[in-house]
């Protein structure tokens, strides 16, 4: 599931997997509506990190002639019979960071509704514009942006809208200033919704909270249409983004098919992970070339991409190309590299680059062609969710609330093998998930396109 990241079994012991504030002694308000067997037992209810036989064998060790298995596991997410916090005076803050993704409002809605209606928490605040919303003057204690009071009524129907009702933003993840702001507002629980950069910032905030020994819980909720967060088989918004990407590919193919030697070129979001592009291409099942960051692009030469494109256009009459936004970045001069406020490298426009290179190649060969380039990037991020994504967002939000109320902290709500889990933020920051070119998804791409496994 997470090839390239080696996790030692001893790293994930039951006693230290997820930090907690202490013994949970408060009877859960859910006891009246949940049967006893539906509550999670921290010691028994766990999910294997690796379900393969190879993973289990690696976790084995000899002991007096016997082979004992101690496979790494994550806590199962869900309601606990006893909770840590008394809901009556609890104060909660929610922040959305990074780029937009379908489902942000769905997660916010479920966090607020579940806190307000089921756990009877009445003091809930929305922090505007990502981590920037914590900006304040230490002397006057005035905040640059007003926090929004949230309740079940205020979040009704926000799931019908794209984007985030709280606004979002990149950067400004100063853990010292953020913890200062949380203490000024007497916040007990912070929910951070975002991708790998946001979660790395959340881990730094958690470390600052630990250093000061203040009772503030932090729960991360993974968000990115790139689907590149470790320990999460799919992130919310991914499925909705795939659907919109397929629409763009169909439009590009229609344009290409309707022209002599037509070429439809679509750039799809994905930064350093080609999962979204590959999944959309397989769903379309009639794409000629799929270009992703995990497979280097070679333009020139007999077996290069440009020659393959020319041959396919002449043979078939038209073609459709799907390219991930992070593909082919090594084709640009290193001197042009820049970074955004979150420290991410600003990607060069591989779509326009390929548009120019392909057009020049056909012109050089004196072959007529018509190329249509489509970049639906922000359409993928800003739409509302599919039905399945909405259900997924609801479960994420609810499990995040369960974790926080039980006194968990410094963790993210993961999802693997059809189960929601508690993943320590320290494990999340080990790296990013990438498209595995040896696994079925990419092999399906190769089978449907007929393109070579590597460009040479």
């Amino acid at each position: 599931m997470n090839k390239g990241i080696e996790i030692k079994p001893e790293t994930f012991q039951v006693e230290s997997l997820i930090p907690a504030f202490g013994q949970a002694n408060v009877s859960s308000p859910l006891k009246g509506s949940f049967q006893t067997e539906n509550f999670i037992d921290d010691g028994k209810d766990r999910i294997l990190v690796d379900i393969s036989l190879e993973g289990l064998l690696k976790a084995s060790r000899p002991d007096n002639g016997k082979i004992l298995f101690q496979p790494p596991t994550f806590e199962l997410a869900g309601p606990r019979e006893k909770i840590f916090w008394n809901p009556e005076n609890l104060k909660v803050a929610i922040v959305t960071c990074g780029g937009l993704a379908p489902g942000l409002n769905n997660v916010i809605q479920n966090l607020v509704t579940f806190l307000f209606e089921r756990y009877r928490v009445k003091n809930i605040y929305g922090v505007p514009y990502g981590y920037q919303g914590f900006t304040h003057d230490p002397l006057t204690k005035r905040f640059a942006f007003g926090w929004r009071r949230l309740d079940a009524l205020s979040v009704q129907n926000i799931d019908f809208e794209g984007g985030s009702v709280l606004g979002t933003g990149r950067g400004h993840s100063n853990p010292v200033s953020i913890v200062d702001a949380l203490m000024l507002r007497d916040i007990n629980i912070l929910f951070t919704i975002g991708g790998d950069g946001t979660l790395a910032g959340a881990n730094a905030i958690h470390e600052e909270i630990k250093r000061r020994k203040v009772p503030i819980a932090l729960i991360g909720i993974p968000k990115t249409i790139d689907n590149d967060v470790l320990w999460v088989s799919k992130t919310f918004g991914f499925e909705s983004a795939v659907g919109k990407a397929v629409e763009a590919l169909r439009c590009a193919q229609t344009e290409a098919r309707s022209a002599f030697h037509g070429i439809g070129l679509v750039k799809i979001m994905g930064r350093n992970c080609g999962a979204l592009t590959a999944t959309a291409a397989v769903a379309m099942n009639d794409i000629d070339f799929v270009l992703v960051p995990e497979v280097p692009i070679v333009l020139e030469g007999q077996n290069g991409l440009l020659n393959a494109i020319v041959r396919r256009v002449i043979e078939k009459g038209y073609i459709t190309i799907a390219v991930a936004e992070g593909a082919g970045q090594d084709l640009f001069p290193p001197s042009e590299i820049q970074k955004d406020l979150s420290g991410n490298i600003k990607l060069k426009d591989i779509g326009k680059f390929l548009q120019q290179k392909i057009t020049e190649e056909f012109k050089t060969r004196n072959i007529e062609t018509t190329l249509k380039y489509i970049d639906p990037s922000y359409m993928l991020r800003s739409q509302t969710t599919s039905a399945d994504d909405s259900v997924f967002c609801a479960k994420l939000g609810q499990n995040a609330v369960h974790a926080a109320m039980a006194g968990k902290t410094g963790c993210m709500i993961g999802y693997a093998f059809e189960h929601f889990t508690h993943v320590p933020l320290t494990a999340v920051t080990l790296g990013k998930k990438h498209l595995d070119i040896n696994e079925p998804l990419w092999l399906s791409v190769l089978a449907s396109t007929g393109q070579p496994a590597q460009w040479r």
Side-chain angles (χ1 to χ4, degrees):
M1 185 179 97
N2 293 287
K3 298 270 179 87
I5 299 293
E6 183 180 355
I7 307 300
K8 296 180 180 179
E10 59 266 28
T11 305
F12 297 101
Q13 298 299 322
V14 173
E15 302 82 29
S16 60
L17 178 58
I18 299 297
F21 286 109
Q23 186 68 35
N25 294 317
V26 179
S27 184
S28 172
L30 303 180
K31 289 192 72 172
S33 56
F34 276 75
Q35 294 180 341
T36 303
E37 58 266 28
N38 288 332
F39 287 107
I40 303 301
D41 184 324
D42 282 346
K44 298 178 181 178
D45 297 326
R46 307 186 67 84
I47 301 298
L48 289 169
V49 171
D50 187 346
I51 63 171
S52 69
L53 177 60
E54 180 185 11
L56 290 175
L57 291 175
K58 284 182 178 180
S60 64
R61 63 178 178 84
D63 183 31
N64 294 327
K66 297 180 181 179
I67 298 296
L68 299 180
F69 287 93
Q70 291 185 326
T73 58
F74 288 138
E75 286 182 358
L76 183 64
R80 269 60 177 173
E81 187 173 5
K82 296 288 186 178
I83 61 176
F84 178 80
W85 300 100
N86 185 334
E88 186 175 344
N89 299 313
L90 199 62
K91 289 186 177 180
V92 175
I94 301 169
V95 64
T96 56
C97 305
L100 296 179
L104 277 168
N105 284 337
N106 301 66
V107 174
I108 294 169
Q109 182 186 59
N110 280 281
L111 285 173
V112 174
T113 302
F114 217 64
L115 283 164
F116 195 86
E117 299 286 359
R118 303 304 298 273
Y119 278 99
R120 304 168 194 160
V121 176
K122 304 306 178 185
N123 299 306
I124 309 170
Y125 301 91
V127 181
Y129 307 118
Y131 288 140
Q132 188 176 7
F134 293 97
T135 305
H136 66 283
D137 186 324
L139 297 177
T140 65
K141 300 183 180 180
R142 291 182 179 177
F143 281 67
F145 304 95
W147 290 21
R148 179 175 174 179
R149 191 75 179 253
L150 301 172
D151 57 31
L153 183 61
S154 69
V155 297
Q156 275 189 354
N157 299 326
I158 64 171
D159 54 322
F160 295 165
E161 308 170 21
S164 168
V165 295
L166 301 180
T168 186
R170 298 187 185 278
H172 302 280
S173 55
N174 182 331
V176 174
S177 177
I178 291 173
V179 176
D180 285 343
L182 292 170
M183 294 176 69
L184 279 174
R185 295 277 188 165
D186 294 323
I187 297 299
N188 306 109
I189 298 173
L190 173 64
F191 293 100
T192 63
I193 309 170
D196 60 286
T198 301
L199 295 168
N203 187 51
I205 297 167
H206 171 63
E207 291 300 321
E208 179 64 16
I209 290 171
K210 283 202 304 180
R211 187 186 70 80
R212 299 194 197 187
K213 299 180 180 180
V214 290
I216 302 174
L218 192 152
I219 306 294
I221 300 174
K223 172 238 48 163
T224 171
I225 62 171
D226 298 349
N227 203 28
D228 61 354
V229 177
L230 287 177
W231 318 116
V232 184
S233 57
K234 73 168 184 177
T235 46
F236 74 82
F238 177 76
E239 183 181 278
S240 302
V242 167
K244 187 63 71 174
V246 169
E247 288 182 24
L249 288 169
R250 283 177 179 155
C251 291
Q253 187 181 85
T254 299
E255 289 284 351
R257 193 172 56 238
S258 302
F260 177 68
H261 286 172
I263 300 174
L265 172 63
V266 181
K267 185 179 76 173
I268 299 172
M269 281 189 159
R271 293 197 64 82
N272 299 313
C273 179
L276 178 56
T277 302
T279 305
V282 171
M284 181 73 175
N285 201 33
D286 191 17
I287 304 300
D288 298 280
F289 297 99
V290 180
L291 310 174
V292 294
E294 292 82 358
V295 180
I297 298 173
V298 177
L299 292 176
E300 310 295 340
Q302 182 65 27
N303 297 317
L305 174 63
L306 293 176
N307 197 46
I309 288 173
V310 173
R311 288 201 311 266
R312 187 72 62 89
V313 168
I314 293 173
E315 292 169 2
K316 185 178 177 181
Y318 71 93
I319 64 167
T320 314
I321 305 170
V323 56
E325 63 174 342
Q329 294 300 302
D330 59 332
L331 300 175
F332 298 93
S335 59
E336 296 181 6
I337 293 177
Q338 296 178 322
K339 293 186 177 181
D340 62 20
L341 291 174
S342 296
N344 299 313
I345 292 176
K346 290 185 177 181
L347 298 175
K348 306 300 291 184
D349 196 332
I350 186 63
K352 289 185 177 179
F353 176 83
L354 288 177
Q355 180 185 25
Q356 178 184 343
K357 291 294 184 180
I358 294 169
T359 301
E360 289 174 353
E361 184 72 16
F362 275 82
K363 188 175 181 180
T364 300
R365 299 188 186 211
N366 201 25
I367 301 174
E368 182 181 347
T369 187
T370 300
L371 189 152
K372 294 293 191 300
Y373 172 48
I374 298 175
D375 180 0
S377 297
Y378 294 102
M379 294 175 64
L380 306 186
R381 304 194 323 176
S382 57
Q383 63 175 314
T384 55
T385 60
S386 66
D388 283 348
D389 252 340
S390 294
V391 173
F392 188 66
C393 289
K395 293 178 179 179
L396 268 175
Q398 292 167 14
N399 280 300
V401 171
H402 288 317
M405 294 303 297
K408 309 292 181 182
T409 186
C411 72
M412 173 194 78
I413 303 302
Y415 182 72
F417 316 122
E418 307 269 325
H419 289 88
F420 290 91
T421 59
H422 295 161
V423 182
L425 288 174
T426 51
V428 180
T429 58
L430 288 172
K432 291 185 180 182
K433 188 172 66 176
H434 295 280
L435 174 66
D436 191 331
I437 59 175
N438 296 309
E439 292 201 345
L441 175 59
W442 185 246
L443 298 180
S444 295
V445 168
L446 298 181
S448 63
T449 62
Q451 71 184 59
Q454 297 286 340
W455 298 105
R456 305 184 189 281

